[in-house]
Amino acid sequence: MLLGPWLVAAAAAAAVAAGAGAGCPVLCTCRGQAVDCSGQRLFSVPPELPLDTGNLSLAHNRIASIPPGYLACYGQLRALDLRNNSLAALPAGLFLGARRLAHLDLSYNNFSLVAADMFLEASGLLRLDLSHNPGLRRVHPQAFRGLAQLRELDLSYGGLSAISLDALEGLPGLVGLRLGGNPWVCGCAMEPFLKWLRGRIQRCASDSQLAECRAPPEVAGAPLLSLTEESFQACHLTLTLDDYLFIAFVGFVVSIASVATNFLLGITANCCHRWSKASEDEDV
């Protein structure tokens, strides 16, 4: 009977010890498993978070970098909001401890490249937002490797003129894709991607009317999905040996004709000169 109060006290002490050093960060608001540090003009991430953090918002700050291993201790994290900061890259292995992360918002930042294996450890991601990164020019073919469960991907309003089909083919669960607001160059290299996109459009929600070609001039302003196989017929034209021989023959004929024309013009000019000189002598 005497052990009862002792056990209760020990459990309480253990609970206090477990929570030590994991209180709500300064300038943040904590409610349940949600930690809201948004709009606080932070230049760096809070050094420590409650260990059971499930939803972390660091949006609308001035954060330019995140320390390596920052999320290693937060295995309960499900949503991470980093929009509207100054991030240009993420450290390798950032998501090693965040196996349950399902929603990641990186919109309104300064990314210029989505690097290879950038999200490799975040295998549970369902939604990834990279929109409104105006400097985003390239997505590595292996950028989304490991994201087999990803359902929604937002790449809208960046600086993308092309994207590797390899980057998207490894996303079997993708049902939502946003591409509008990018300066797409709809040349021959774009055909495989557009063919893939048309094949997925029935089950892949895409902002197809907002995604337009910026170049070449003949298709500028055209929605991506308005381009058909006929639009790329010129990309498949091939010349046979007979075609090359014919072109060579035509070039030869044109060259001979040019030489003959110049010869005749020279003779004509010479004759005119002699006739003019003869006329002057007769007048004298």
Side-chain angles (χ1 to χ4, degrees):
M1 297 295 292
L2 296 176
L3 292 178
W6 171 256
L7 290 175
V8 172
V16 171
C24 192
V26 177
L27 299 179
C28 300
T29 301
C30 299
R31 195 171 291 177
Q33 290 186 306
V35 179
D36 186 358
C37 306
S38 62
Q40 298 299 322
R41 300 182 180 179
L42 300 177
F43 286 92
S44 60
V45 296
E48 290 185 354
L49 301 168
L51 294 178
D52 65 345
T53 298
N55 188 324
L56 174 61
S57 177
L58 293 166
H60 311 296
N61 284 297
R62 303 173 184 177
I63 299 170
S65 64
I66 300 176
Y70 180 67
L71 301 177
C73 297
Y74 309 114
Q76 302 298 315
L77 190 64
R78 297 276 301 168
L80 176 59
D81 188 352
L82 287 164
R83 64 192 151 125
N84 196 21
N85 276 284
S86 301
L87 294 168
L90 296 179
L94 175 63
F95 305 107
L96 272 173
R99 296 289 183 179
R100 297 188 180 183
L101 186 65
H103 304 276
L104 176 60
D105 193 340
L106 294 170
S107 60
Y108 295 93
N109 275 282
N110 298 327
F111 290 96
S112 60
L113 164 69
V114 184
D117 299 331
M118 189 168 173
F119 311 102
L120 184 60
E121 298 87 5
S123 56
L125 269 184
L126 299 177
R127 186 178 189 279
L128 174 59
D129 192 343
L130 285 160
S131 67
H132 295 89
N133 279 274
L136 184 58
R137 299 285 189 271
R138 182 169 180 259
V139 175
H140 192 279
Q142 301 297 324
F144 307 123
R145 189 169 66 164
L147 302 185
Q149 299 183 55
L150 190 69
R151 296 179 60 81
E152 297 181 29
L153 175 61
D154 195 339
L155 294 171
S156 61
Y157 298 98
L160 294 172
S161 59
I163 186 169
S164 170
L165 182 56
D166 292 339
L168 300 174
E169 281 187 321
L171 300 174
L174 193 66
V175 295
L177 178 61
R178 302 184 67 82
L179 300 167
N182 285 287
W184 298 108
V185 175
C186 301
C188 294
M190 195 71 160
E191 184 183 11
F193 168 67
L194 292 180
K195 186 176 181 180
W196 173 88
L197 188 60
R198 283 194 298 270
R200 294 286 297 269
I201 197 60
Q202 295 301 322
R203 64 188 186 90
C204 181
S206 173
D207 55 345
S208 55
Q209 296 305 313
L210 296 177
E212 298 181 346
C213 300
R214 180 71 60 86
E218 55 267 25
V219 294
L224 289 185
L225 291 176
S226 70
L227 302 182
T228 63
E229 292 184 4
E230 288 73 20
S231 304
F232 296 95
Q233 280 185 346
C235 300
H236 303 289
L237 293 178
T238 56
L239 297 177
T240 64
L241 178 59
D242 290 341
D243 294 326
Y244 285 112
L245 291 175
F246 177 75
I247 292 172
F249 175 74
V250 171
F252 176 75
V253 170
V254 170
S255 299
I256 295 298
S258 176
V259 171
T261 300
N262 290 332
F263 178 73
L264 292 174
L265 288 175
I267 292 176
T268 301
N270 188 42
C271 290
C272 289
H273 177 71
R274 289 184 178 181
W275 178 79
S276 176
K277 185 175 182 180
S279 297
E280 291 177 358
D281 291 342
E282 287 178 0
D283 292 340
V284 174

